[in-house]
Structure formats: structure tokens, C-alpha cells
Amino acid sequence: MMTTFIGIVREPSVVIALVTLLGLLFQRKSIPEIITGTIKSFMGFILIKLGGSIIGDSLAIFGKIFTHAFNITGIIPSNEAVLSITLDTLGVQASLILLFAMLLNIIIARFTKFKFIYLSLHLMLFMSCAITAVMNGLGYSQIITIIIGSIIVGIYMSIAPFALRKASAEIVGTDEYVVGHSGMIAYFISSLVGKLVGNKEKSTESINMPKSISFLRDSIVATTLTMLALFLIAGIKGGTGFVYELSGGLNFFVYCLKQSAMLAGGLFVAKQGVNLFTEEIVPAFKGFADVFAPGATPAVDVLVLFDKAPNAVLIGFLVSLATGVVCILIFPIIGLPVIVPGLMACFITGGAAAIYGNATGGLRGAIIGSILDGLFLCVMPAVTLFIFTSMNAGNVTFADSDFTVTSLILWFIARFI
């Protein structure tokens, strides 16, 4: 029975489908509506993950070209890489933490004002893994690790969406759902700083473009051309011969164009998944919440925001990446390990930080917010690297701000108990 539970928890898309199924059953929907809603929510989540995988594959290729071009070696923050390396040793404890954290999240939503159910469960598996690594590294038993980890993750799943509820509602335009993601600390600070130093009237989305380049308003076109420019610059710097070998003999320009289009296509697939997912899970969730946590709101992946401010997403990615490059130059001077920017994290969390900064502080808020996110993605992995040495994960570590900040706080507290 426990093996079955762990198998379900490790595949969040199944949990999402079950939540949708229960919600529709509790609303006494017809059998065709139940089947359609359940499959569509499952498919939407799969598309989100598929789109993210396509984006990740393209960015991984760009990362190889980039590091070769600029002769960069160092620690790479990658949540997915850490999980795949440590799943055999930490997977059972991490999965149990997530299972009990989900139950605690529902209890908190039912009996307190923090009425949010966190549905980005794949991210919480990463956090559960990070907490397991911290506790194991300090010598705590499996039972204590699971208990402490479940409490921390469960409370986080309730409080983080609550802290960003107003900013999320302003961006989304409704309070039917909020954002639950692993860069919430960076997003929260970005929204605060944007409000303090920015001007929301000067939005990234109102940037005037000449008619001759009006095609850049299309997010797919803009993303493709932006990535094409980055691929070409890095490829030319590193030598077209390297790209030729990497591509298996394809023409240099064609390969760069193909990978750029793949990334933009991945973003398109993820957005379609988000639309399908939210269209089904939001109404179905009401039935689930009415039974288990009346009045609760679903917290979903931050990709739901990416079509709200596509200019901010591109700005956030580029600024966050540029911040990481600057850190590469500075860290050896100040004695920190070199952290190679995690391109997936720069794209997702950098884009999201810019969206939140733009919502409260316009273009200036977007730029400052993504700079702060870039610092989080480099400084925190460098500072917390020693905590995760027990994982034996080689030259990779956790990336997103919520994982690293939470792990550092836990380490400071747990080592004295």
C-alpha cells in the first residue's frame, strides 16, 4: 500500500487527475463531464511538463555552446538533475514528506485563514528532497526527517501562495487561482521593490515598437529571434565547428534556428497545457475544496502568468542570465565557488520575477526584479553548496530561491538542536 502511495506522489499529474476526479464527483457531474474533465486536467499537466522538458532540452544545448564559447566550468544549479541523481537514496523519504505535507496543507486550508491548496507538486518534491538532504547531512534519523520535513513543506505550501495572493490576483485579474512556485521569495521581493522604486504606468507591455518590427509583439516570434541571436553569438564565439559536431552535421545557422524554434515551441506547448489545466482544475477544484477545505483556492504553476506579460518574460530571462554571467566574473575574486547560470531557472524564475516587478513597478521594476532573481540563483547556491555535500550529486545543486533559502534556515536551526 505504501509503495502505491509513493508511486502516486512521485507522479504529480496523477494527483492532479485524482483531485479533478474527486471534485467533479463531489459536484455530482455527469459521467461524460467527469471523464472529460479528469482527462483534460491530466493532459494539461502533462503538456506543461512536456513544454518544460522541450525548453529544458533546448537550453541545455545552449548551455553547452555557451560554456564552450566562454570556457566556463563550475557548479550548475539544476533541480531536475539533483533529483535524478539522488532519487534512489533520498526518494522514499522525500516522497513521504510530500505525502504528509499535502495532508497538512489541506488541514491548514480547512481550519485557518491560509486557504490555499498547493498544486505544483513536482516542485514540492524538489523541496522535500532538499530538506531530506539537510537533515540527513546533520545526522537526523529518517523518522525525525520525515516529521520535520512534512511540517516545513506543509506550512510552506499554505503560506507562500498567501503571501503573493494580492500580487498574483493583480496580474491574473481574478482570485479564482493563485501562483504556487519555487521562486516565491524572489517574486515577493521583486513585487515589493517594484512598488518602492518603479512606476507601474510604464509597463513592459506598453513599450512602443516601430511598425517595421511590430512582429516582435508575438511572443513566439520574439522568443525565437531572441534565442536565435543568443545561439548565434555563443556559437560564433565558440566556433562553428563545435556546433557542427554537437548537431551531428547540421548547418550551423539551421541548427541554431531549429533550437531557438524548439524553445519557443516548448513555451507554446506549456502555455497550451496551462490553459487546458486551469480551464478544468479550477472549476473541479471547487467541488474538492467544498468537501475537504471549504473556501480554499488552488495554487498553480507560475507559467499561467507567462502570456500576461510576454515582454517581461524575455526581459527577465536576459537580465537574470546577464546577472549570472557577472557573478561568474566576481565570485572567484570574493572566494565563492563559480555558479554557472541555470538557464531553465533564469528563464522561468527570471521571467516570473520580471512579471511581478512589472506589475508593481513597470519596466524598472521588471529589470530590478530579474536582477534580484539572478542574484538569488547564483549567490544562494554558492552559499548553500556545503549543506548538500552529503548528496554526492557532483557538480550540480538546487537552483530556485525557495529551496536554497529554506534549506539554509533549516540548517542553521537544526544543527543546534
Side-chain angles (χ1 to χ4, degrees), residues 3-4 6 24 38 51 92 95 121-122 131 136 145 161 173 237 250 262 264 280 318 331-332 344 350 377 393:
T3 303
T4 302
I6 292 173
L24 294 172
T38 302
V92 174
S95 298
L121 300 179
H122 56 297
I131 289 174
N136 284 356
T145 296
K237 175 67 171 63
L250 284 179
M262 287 284 286
E280 298 300 331
L318 295 174
F331 279 13
M344 187 66 171
L377 293 177

Side-chain angles (χ1 to χ4, degrees), residues 375-387:
L375 290 174
F376 267 115
L377 293 177
C378 289
V379 174
M380 290 309 301
V383 171
T384 59
L385 187 62
F386 73 96
I387 296 176

Side-chain angles (χ1 to χ4, degrees), residues 1-11 83 87 89-104 121 124-129 131-132 141-154 157:
M1 182 66 71
M2 185 58 69
T3 303
T4 302
F5 272 126
I6 292 173
I8 292 174
V9 170
R10 282 186 179 177
E11 186 47 66
L83 185 66
L87 197 59
T89 55
L90 305 180
V92 174
Q93 293 178 68
S95 298
L96 288 173
I97 287 173
L98 179 55
L99 173 62
F100 294 124
M102 289 166 55
L103 298 176
L104 179 59
L121 300 179
M124 290 304 93
L125 185 57
F126 297 145
M127 179 171 280
S128 300
C129 186
I131 289 174
T132 301
S141 68
Q142 291 189 12
I143 298 296
I144 296 298
T145 296
I146 292 170
I147 293 173
I148 298 298
S150 301
I151 293 172
I152 292 173
V153 176
M157 290 167 72

Side-chain angles (χ1 to χ4, degrees), residues 50-316:
L50 177 61
S53 177
I54 295 171
I55 293 171
D57 290 344
S58 181
L59 288 174
I61 290 172
F62 175 72
K64 291 179 181 179
I65 299 173
F66 182 83
T67 52
H68 175 78
F70 297 96
N71 194 28
I72 297 172
T73 56
I75 306 299
I76 303 172
S78 172
N79 307 317
E80 292 79 7
V82 172
L83 185 66
S84 64
I85 292 172
T86 62
L87 197 59
D88 289 339
T89 55
L90 305 180
V92 174
Q93 293 178 68
S95 298
L96 288 173
I97 287 173
L98 179 55
L99 173 62
F100 294 124
M102 289 166 55
L103 298 176
L104 179 59
N105 182 208
I106 294 173
I107 293 171
I108 292 173
R110 183 176 181 87
F111 295 107
T112 74
K113 68 177 181 179
F114 302 104
K115 294 188 175 299
F116 300 93
I117 305 294
Y118 200 105
L119 296 181
S120 302
L121 300 179
H122 56 297
L123 299 174
M124 290 304 93
L125 185 57
F126 297 145
M127 179 171 280
S128 300
C129 186
I131 289 174
T132 301
V134 173
M135 299 295 284
N136 284 356
L138 291 174
Y140 282 85
S141 68
Q142 291 189 12
I143 298 296
I144 296 298
T145 296
I146 292 170
I147 293 173
I148 298 298
S150 301
I151 293 172
I152 292 173
V153 176
I155 291 175
Y156 167 86
M157 290 167 72
S158 301
I159 293 179
F162 176 83
L164 264 181
R165 69 195 186 284
K166 293 182 179 179
S168 298
E170 186 173 344
I171 297 168
V172 175
T174 177
D175 58 0
E176 289 186 335
Y177 60 90
V178 295
V179 167
H181 197 252
S182 51
M184 303 286 270
I185 294 173
Y187 309 157
F188 183 73
I189 295 175
S190 179
S191 64
L192 288 181
V193 172
K195 186 180 296 185
L196 290 174
V197 303
N199 180 2
K200 64 185 299 183
E201 302 303 322
K202 296 182 178 180
S203 170
T204 57
E205 309 313 301
S206 62
I207 297 175
N208 293 322
M209 292 185 181
K211 288 185 178 180
S212 58
I213 58 171
S214 60
F215 56 84
L216 290 177
R217 289 194 176 277
D218 187 306
S219 60
I220 299 298
V221 175
T223 302
T224 301
L225 292 179
T226 300
M227 289 308 303
L228 176 60
L230 293 176
F231 266 104
L232 291 175
I233 291 170
I236 293 172
K237 175 67 171 63
T240 57
F242 176 79
V243 178
Y244 183 82
E245 292 180 7
L246 188 64
S247 67
L250 284 179
N251 175 271
F252 169 73
F253 179 81
V254 171
Y255 185 67
C256 291
L257 179 60
K258 176 184 175 182
Q259 291 302 322
S260 303
M262 287 284 286
L263 187 144
L267 185 59
F268 177 78
V269 170
K271 286 181 178 179
Q272 295 305 306
V274 165
N275 293 336
L276 189 61
F277 171 74
T278 53
E279 181 181 314
E280 298 300 331
I281 193 65
V282 171
F285 181 82
K286 292 179 181 178
F288 177 86
D290 287 343
V291 174
F292 295 103
T297 302
V300 298
D301 196 284
V302 76
L303 284 173
V304 299
L305 304 182
F306 274 41
D307 62 343
K308 309 293 183 183
N311 289 347
V313 172
L314 280 177
I315 291 170

